[in-house]
């Protein structure tokens, strides 16, 4: 592999621009100026940063790649391309595929396809229960043996407290984490949208905040007593943030994520009646959105995860109650975080590195991602133009599906380049061969 010279970049957006030389997948030199002519190699790939912000490559703990089973909406190849274009160098592929990733054969298949595609590290998430049915624990130990460190029934809640307790106990022994989709199912029967005025006006059955908060509170206590690691998926209410504060203050080994869409959109979106806005958990009240931003800024919520959920046109372009929940996220995450957290002064770029790369890498147990930008460290990087503005067009995304709720919005900041172990995977909005 040829050396790579990133010229005129600002690590974490701090200080004067520097040059960064990458050799054999590792950051080899970092200096005010590095002369390409002095590098002992025939071909040096030079990327001009023009003062862009250099961050560790992003890590997504929550991606639906839909392969195997729904390759009409996304594949590991198209999802990996979307990840690379979004600045991601690693993604965790959720287990709600068909067949479900509840055994070593399926998770190994996903990991192998990810390696073949090679645009981002694809880490399969293993299901907690067989077939996501919530009845019987899946073979967590066998999946852990082939490298799985995150288990989740995402899309479904592991609602049986005994099963959840057992899962946490096993995960502790396996040095793994249980990522819970917190939704007490008896409180969300028929639920279509956030329980509040907007849903009531449209006659949509409400999804109460307590359905999430009661499970998070319960699971925090189960994890505390089991001394196990719990990760809370897509936190959507201010009450959940409070529960997390309470649990963390008591030493619970709990981490949590928030999605870009819950940081930007609220349930006033329901007025359009457009199912592109249907997602689980639902878009909440404006007061929740502001509380989630504050919780991400103060560390009560650890990180951003996309919950990238591609859906076919026929599953979204239909009446609200028949539409599937979920929205795309990989190619808009950075810009939505820039809009909601950086432009508002809640996070600086070092903070963005923490919530989009460092913390997710730690939670997912990745030793070579989310590392400092320093000599000797693996070159997994995202180069971001903080001054760019662009208009979202779902049809232009690498994903097969186009269900973005941000369609037509003008957003700040753009990913200029993504580097995976020294190889440029995306440059100026194009995948690099
Ligand atoms: O909106 C969602 N979509 N939430 C989930 O938990 C699952 C996901 C999906 O798989 O489409
Ligand atoms: Zn979920």
């Amino acid at each position: 592999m040829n050396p790579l010279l990133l010229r005129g970049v600002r690590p974490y957006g701090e200080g004067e621009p520097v040059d960064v030389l990458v050799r054999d997948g590792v950051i080899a030199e970092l200096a005010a100026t590095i002369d390409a002519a002095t590098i002992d190699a025939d071909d040096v790939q030079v990327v001009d940063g023009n003062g862009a912000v250099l961050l560790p490559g992003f890590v997504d703990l929550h991606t639906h790649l839909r392969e195997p089973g729904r390759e009409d909406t996304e594949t590991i190849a198209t999802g990996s391309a979307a990840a690379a274009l979004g600045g991601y160098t690693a993604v965790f592929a959720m287990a709600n595929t068909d067949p479900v990733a509840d055994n070593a054969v399926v998770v190994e298949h996903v990991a192998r396809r990810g390696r073949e595609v090679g645009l981002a590290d694809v880490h399969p998430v293993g299901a907690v229960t067989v077939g996501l049915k919530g009845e019987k624990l899946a073979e967590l130990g066998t999946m852990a043996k082939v490298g799985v460190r995150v288990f989740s029934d995402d899309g479904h809640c592991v609602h049986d407290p005994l099963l959840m307790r057992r899962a946490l106990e096993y995960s502790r022994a396996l040095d793994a984490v249980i990522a819970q989709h917190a939704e007490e199912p008896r409180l969300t029967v028929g639920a279509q949208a956030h329980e509040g005025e907007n849903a009531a006006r449209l006659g949509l059955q409400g999804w109460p905040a307590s359905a999430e908060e009661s499970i998070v509170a319960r699971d925090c206590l189960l994890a505390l007593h089991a001394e196990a690691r719990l990760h809370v998926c897509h936190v959507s209410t201010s009450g959940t943030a409070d529960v997390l504060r309470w649990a963390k203050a008591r030493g619970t080994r709990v981490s949590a994520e928030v999605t870009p869409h819950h940081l930007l959109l609220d349930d006033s979106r329901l007025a359009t009646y457009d199912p592109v806005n249907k997602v689980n958990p639902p878009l909440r009240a404006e007061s929740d959105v502001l509380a989630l931003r504050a919780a991400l800024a103060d560390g009560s919520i650890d990180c951003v995860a996309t919950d990238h959920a591609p859906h076919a046109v026929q599953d979204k372009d239909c009446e609200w109650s028949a539409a599937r929940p979920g929205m795309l996220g990989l190619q808009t995450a950075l810009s939505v975080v820039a809009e909601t957290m950086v432009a508002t002064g809640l996070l600086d770029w070092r903070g963005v590195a923490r919530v989009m790369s460092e913390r997710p890498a730690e939670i997912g147990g990745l030793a070579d991602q989310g590392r400092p930008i320093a000599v000797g460290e693996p070159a997994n990087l995202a180069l971001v133009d903080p001054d760019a503005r662009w208009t979202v067009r779902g049809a232009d995304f690498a994903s097969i599906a186009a269900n973005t709720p941000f369609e037509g919005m003008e957003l700040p900041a753009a990913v200029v380049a993504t580097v995976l172990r020294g190889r440029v995977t995306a440059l100026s909005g194009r995948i690099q061969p």
Side-chain angles (χ1 to χ4, degrees):
M1 195 175 23
N2 295 330
L4 169 68
L5 181 61
L6 302 174
R7 196 175 254 156
V9 297
R10 297 168 63 233
Y12 309 102
E14 295 164 1
E16 291 301 311
V18 295
D19 291 352
V20 177
L21 177 67
V22 173
R23 228 193 257 279
D24 301 324
V26 172
I27 297 175
E29 196 181 338
L30 218 144
T33 44
I34 300 172
D35 185 355
T38 66
I39 299 163
D40 173 25
D42 294 344
D43 274 306
V44 184
Q45 184 179 5
V46 179
V47 172
D48 268 311
N50 298 313
V53 175
L54 187 64
L55 300 174
F58 309 143
V59 175
D60 192 11
L61 283 172
H62 193 147
T63 313
H64 296 276
L65 292 180
R66 303 294 191 225
E67 181 180 348
R70 284 307 299 265
E71 291 85 348
D72 58 318
T73 62
E74 194 78 293
T75 65
I76 291 168
T78 60
S80 295
L85 291 166
Y88 287 89
T89 47
V91 299
F92 285 76
M94 274 299 173
N96 64 340
T97 48
D98 182 13
V100 172
D102 61 1
N103 61 78
V105 175
V106 177
V107 301
E108 284 198 296
H109 167 79
V110 170
R112 187 170 56 247
R113 270 306 290 153
R115 280 194 299 275
E116 284 165 9
V117 172
L119 290 172
D121 290 349
V122 175
H123 298 280
V125 173
V128 177
T129 70
V130 175
L132 308 173
K133 288 189 164 51
E135 290 164 0
K136 202 172 113 192
L137 278 189
E139 293 173 6
L140 308 189
T142 318
M143 288 188 276
K145 266 198 198 121
V146 298
V148 177
R149 285 293 172 273
V150 180
F151 293 98
S152 181
D153 271 5
D154 181 62
H156 302 267
C157 181
V158 182
H159 62 91
D160 179 336
L162 180 60
L163 211 51
M164 186 59 181
R165 181 184 175 187
R166 292 277 176 264
L168 285 164
E169 286 167 354
Y170 277 113
S171 72
R172 182 186 169 205
L174 299 170
D175 194 25
V177 61
I178 304 291
Q180 175 73 295
H181 170 118
E183 175 183 355
E184 169 49 61
R186 280 158 293 185
L187 291 174
T188 59
V189 176
Q192 293 290 335
H194 172 58
E195 186 177 80
E197 258 176 54
N198 286 305
R201 198 172 303 128
L202 295 171
L204 295 172
Q205 171 92 20
W207 199 124
S210 56
E212 175 173 304
E213 293 158 7
S214 57
I215 290 289
V216 176
R218 180 201 77 174
D219 287 354
C220 283
L221 291 167
L222 290 174
L224 182 63
H225 288 287
E227 295 175 27
R229 284 175 58 215
L230 168 71
H231 178 72
V232 182
C233 295
H234 40 51
V235 172
S236 72
T237 79
S238 70
T240 297
D242 289 337
V243 173
L244 290 167
R245 283 189 190 98
W246 180 90
K248 286 186 173 195
R250 272 151 193 78
T252 313
R253 300 171 75 196
V254 60
S255 57
E257 67 188 36
V258 61
T259 70
H261 46 270
H262 288 109
L263 287 173
L264 183 57
L265 308 176
D266 63 39
D267 71 340
S268 63
R269 277 277 180 141
L270 292 181
T272 65
Y273 234 123
D274 183 344
V276 78
N277 297 304
K278 182 171 171 177
V279 64
N280 181 0
L283 300 178
R284 300 288 187 184
E286 194 189 1
S287 54
D288 292 304
V289 171
L290 298 176
L292 294 173
R293 292 180 189 180
L296 182 63
D298 73 21
S300 308
I301 293 175
D302 299 74
C303 65
V304 172
T306 65
D307 196 2
H308 177 84
H311 285 299
V313 173
Q314 67 270 22
D315 292 325
K316 275 298 195 184
D317 230 352
C318 54
E319 63 176 295
W320 184 281
S321 60
R324 293 193 190 213
M327 33 186 70
L328 299 185
L330 286 169
Q331 285 184 248
T332 44
L334 182 268
S335 292
V336 174
V337 169
E339 171 90 357
T340 58
M341 302 300 294
V342 181
T344 53
L346 288 166
L347 286 182
D348 56 13
W349 291 107
R350 201 169 270 276
V352 172
R354 185 179 78 242
V355 301
M356 293 192 69
S357 180
E358 295 162 9
R359 283 299 291 139
E362 284 165 13
I363 294 163
L366 306 183
D368 61 344
Q369 298 278 350
R371 299 291 306 163
I373 298 171
V375 172
E377 295 288 353
N380 296 315
L381 302 163
L383 187 61
V384 171
D385 178 356
D387 301 320
R389 292 197 72 86
W390 61 290
T391 302
V392 178
R393 299 269 173 249
D396 295 343
F397 287 164
S399 288
I400 296 170
N403 54 303
T404 173
F406 310 116
E407 182 73 29
M409 284 178 79
E410 198 191 86
L411 293 175
V415 174
V416 178
T418 309
V419 179
L420 177 63
R421 278 184 290 282
R423 186 169 89 74
V424 179
T425 54
L427 184 62
S428 307
R430 287 183 200 284
I431 289 298
Q432 298 301 289

